[in-house]
Amino acid sequence: MNARTRLNRASDLLWRDLGGEILVTAPGGKGVERLGGSALQVWALLERPRTVEECTRAIAGPSDAIAAEVESFLEELVARGVVEEVPEYDA
Amino acid sequence: MREPGAVEDIARAVARFGLPSQDPVGPLVPGRGWSALWRRIVDQRLTGLAMAASRAGVLVLPEDHGEELRSSHRDAMVWALTLERELLSLHRDLRDAGVEPVMLKGPALAHTLYPDPAWRDFGDLDLLVRAGDWSRACAVLSSRGFRRSLPEPRPRFDERFGKAATHVDESGMQIDLHRRLTVGAFGLWVDPGTLADRAEPFVVGGRELLRLDDSAALLHACLHAALGSAPARLLPLRDVVQIAHCGTVDWGLLTEWSRRWRLRAVVRHAFSEAAETLGVPLPAEAWSVSSQGASARERRALAAHLAGRRERGGPALSVVGALPGVRMKAAYVRALVFPEREFLVARTPGQRPSYVRRWTVAMSWAMRRHG
């Protein structure tokens, strides 16, 4: 994953918006994840495909330290199947 | 809130949240009645509607009560998502086995007829399969670790007479595999194949599943609300009103099905219960469905499911009258009077299985019916 990688919510994701938190689970997964706090910003941003750079800029602003955290969080979401990379031809 | 009826009043107001009501909803202030109301909301699977009412400022809760409600709702939705995840995987296996199930209630209503799936809680999955697919569907469930909670009274009982078989796994997940839409005489009168032929696609987790179309879903909601339990639970009543108002219902077709399958008394009962209990007017077309009088036979079959007769074998006895031909009636009675021993053991856990006890119960039903 790099700054230009485009991400989107996984197309097969199961989720519920509880107002103030989102519950998500991926079909192949086991548990149900709770997204709250700043994760909700990421969730809202990824309603449509965005690059990693767009996400980090929207959430972290000019702060490199926060941008690194956002990137790391996005990688975690991809690993859990909550977010998926969008192939170039779909972008 | 001091009056004993106030808890029920608020529970009903929560159950009608978001519908066009005659009475303005809220502000609802449970105050000291909160604990009783909370239990009622959780028991009736209304946490989603209560949360929506709370967010809209209609249900007014102090922070600690609001947190209790949020926590209950979160638990309910974690379970709903867990069920949906199982559903997607099960659906793939069923399709691989050549079975195309039609989803009833639960996710089918939550994702299509409610404004937000979080409003419509569910605790199990209900799948309708065709008679010819029954054995294969049971085998798929078995291969996934599900076991029937109750065996058939006799071989092929389900396919010939049964409504549904409940399957559970080790985690407590429950899947009701339906052969018919309801129990008793009405279950035999309704042709589920006609409704399954009109099934429509809907999407859960990116996967296309089938559900009853809105007209059939309303018919099923009426059956469930009127015959599912006595007194009717609030969520099935809400389903009736929700579909009647928000679904694309073919009222003429619903009228025809009600006439053809002797459901006029049931549909009228469900509409009346829903409108009166929730205090919500139904579309005018709803009353035209059951405007033609129900026959005495229909009214008797309905009475068999209502409080008083229900616990005394009413639905089972109504089946005898509805079955065509002496051979079918005899086969049904034989299966219930002389079930397999395995069925008896499962029906009386912790007790010595006894045919005599079973016959005594059946005799008492018959005596009370004719007494």
Side-chain angles (χ1 to χ4, degrees):
Chain A
M1 198 169 83
N2 59 49
R4 291 173 60 188
T5 304
R6 293 180 76 84
L7 301 173
N8 200 4
R9 293 177 193 168
S11 56
D12 56 358
L13 203 62
L14 297 162
W15 56 277
R16 292 288 191 280
D17 184 349
L18 304 193
E21 68 179 291
I22 306 284
L23 298 179
V24 294
T25 186
K30 285 202 170 148
V32 174
E33 316 265 355
R34 283 172 66 180
L35 304 181
S38 52
L40 290 178
Q41 276 181 276
V42 175
W43 176 259
L45 280 168
L46 292 177
E47 192 173 8
R48 66 178 181 80
R50 308 259 188 189
T51 63
V52 171
E53 190 179 17
E54 284 171 328
C55 292
T56 52
R57 203 184 315 125
I59 294 167
S63 165
D64 288 345
I66 298 176
E69 278 184 37
V70 173
E71 255 190 73
S72 161
F73 180 61
L74 287 169
E75 279 175 357
E76 200 179 319
L77 290 178
V78 171
R80 290 182 193 172
V82 174
V83 166
E84 62 190 8
E85 294 185 15
V86 182
E88 245 351 273
Y89 52 81
D90 278 355
Chain B
M1 189 182 75
R2 294 189 180 86
E3 307 83 12
V7 165
E8 188 56 25
D9 289 346
I10 296 183
R12 290 176 181 195
V14 165
R16 70 169 176 261
F17 175 75
L19 290 170
S21 169
Q22 284 170 324
D23 308 318
V25 178
L28 307 166
V29 186
R32 283 187 293 170
W34 166 247
S35 293
L37 178 65
W38 182 31
R39 284 195 299 274
R40 181 89 173 129
I41 283 171
V42 171
D43 174 64
Q44 296 287 309
R45 299 197 177 282
L46 299 174
T47 58
L49 290 163
M51 280 296 295
S54 172
R55 279 202 293 275
V58 170
L59 179 62
V60 181
L61 301 174
E63 185 142 346
D64 52 340
H65 296 171
E67 187 44 50
E68 286 173 334
L69 176 60
R70 260 191 298 280
S71 174
S72 297
H73 185 47
R74 186 183 300 123
D75 290 346
M77 290 299 102
V78 165
W79 187 242
L81 287 169
T82 305
L83 284 166
E84 285 185 357
R85 198 175 53 214
E86 172 63 24
L87 170 62
L88 297 184
S89 179
L90 169 64
H91 183 257
R92 186 197 56 220
D93 286 358
L94 286 169
R95 269 201 175 162
D96 287 349
V99 178
E100 184 59 80
V102 178
M103 295 304 303
L104 306 173
K105 303 188 289 181
L109 298 183
H111 286 279
T112 61
L113 285 155
Y114 277 79
D116 181 334
W119 284 27
R120 178 54 167 85
D121 185 13
F122 49 89
D124 61 8
L125 298 172
D126 295 84
L127 283 71
L128 175 67
V129 297
R130 294 173 190 272
D133 293 338
W134 180 263
S135 302
R136 270 176 295 152
C138 288
V140 168
L141 282 168
S142 176
S143 73
R144 297 182 61 85
F146 284 86
R147 298 287 171 265
R148 287 183 62 126
S149 57
L150 194 63
E152 289 184 281
R154 293 188 78 85
R156 293 196 60 243
F157 180 90
D158 288 340
E159 286 169 75
R160 299 175 79 189
F161 313 113
K163 170 207 170 194
T166 296
H167 293 71
V168 292
D169 75 355
E170 282 182 349
S171 72
M173 197 174 285
Q174 180 176 316
I175 295 176
D176 291 339
L177 198 62
H178 288 250
R179 159 79 184 86
R180 294 187 170 84
L181 288 187
T182 190
V183 293
F186 298 110
L188 295 172
W189 289 336
V190 175
D191 174 17
T194 297
L195 304 181
D197 287 344
R198 298 171 49 86
E200 291 183 344
F202 75 112
V203 175
V204 178
R207 191 172 182 91
E208 198 171 89
L209 312 175
L210 287 181
R211 69 173 185 101
L212 295 178
D213 73 357
D214 292 356
S215 306
L218 179 55
L219 188 77
H220 184 228
C222 286
L223 291 169
H224 187 52
L227 311 176
S229 58
R233 290 170 61 81
L234 294 173
L235 193 56
L237 294 176
R238 165 70 187 228
D239 286 343
V240 169
V241 186
Q242 184 74 35
I243 304 169
H245 277 289
C246 302
T248 307
V249 177
D250 182 337
W251 296 101
L253 186 58
L254 197 62
T255 304
E256 167 55 20
W257 285 339
S258 300
R259 187 199 59 75
R260 190 194 311 165
W261 295 328
R262 306 185 182 108
L263 300 174
R264 285 167 295 195
V266 172
V267 170
R268 175 163 282 271
H269 182 74
F271 284 160
S272 300
E273 282 282 304
E276 285 169 24
T277 304
L278 301 185
V280 179
L282 286 167
E285 300 94 320
W287 301 108
S288 68
V289 171
S290 51
S291 61
Q292 295 170 307
S295 68
R297 192 180 189 195
E298 290 173 49
R299 290 197 300 273
R300 274 200 308 276
L302 173 61
H305 289 78
L306 301 181
R309 296 267 310 277
R310 185 186 184 83
E311 317 69 43
R312 303 204 309 265
L317 292 171
S318 75
V319 169
V320 179
L323 282 168
V326 176
R327 285 173 63 120
M328 286 285 273
K329 290 181 199 293
Y332 179 74
V333 171
R334 178 168 173 259
L336 293 187
V337 175
F338 301 103
E340 303 271 307
R341 193 166 181 79
E342 188 191 3
F343 176 83
L344 268 191
V345 171
R347 283 290 283 176
T348 52
Q351 295 179 41
R352 198 164 145 261
S354 163
Y355 282 98
V356 174
R357 195 183 309 120
R358 186 169 180 80
W359 297 337
T360 307
V361 170
M363 287 285 283
S364 72
W365 288 354
M367 300 278 281
R368 282 187 198 153
R369 191 178 182 214
H370 297 292

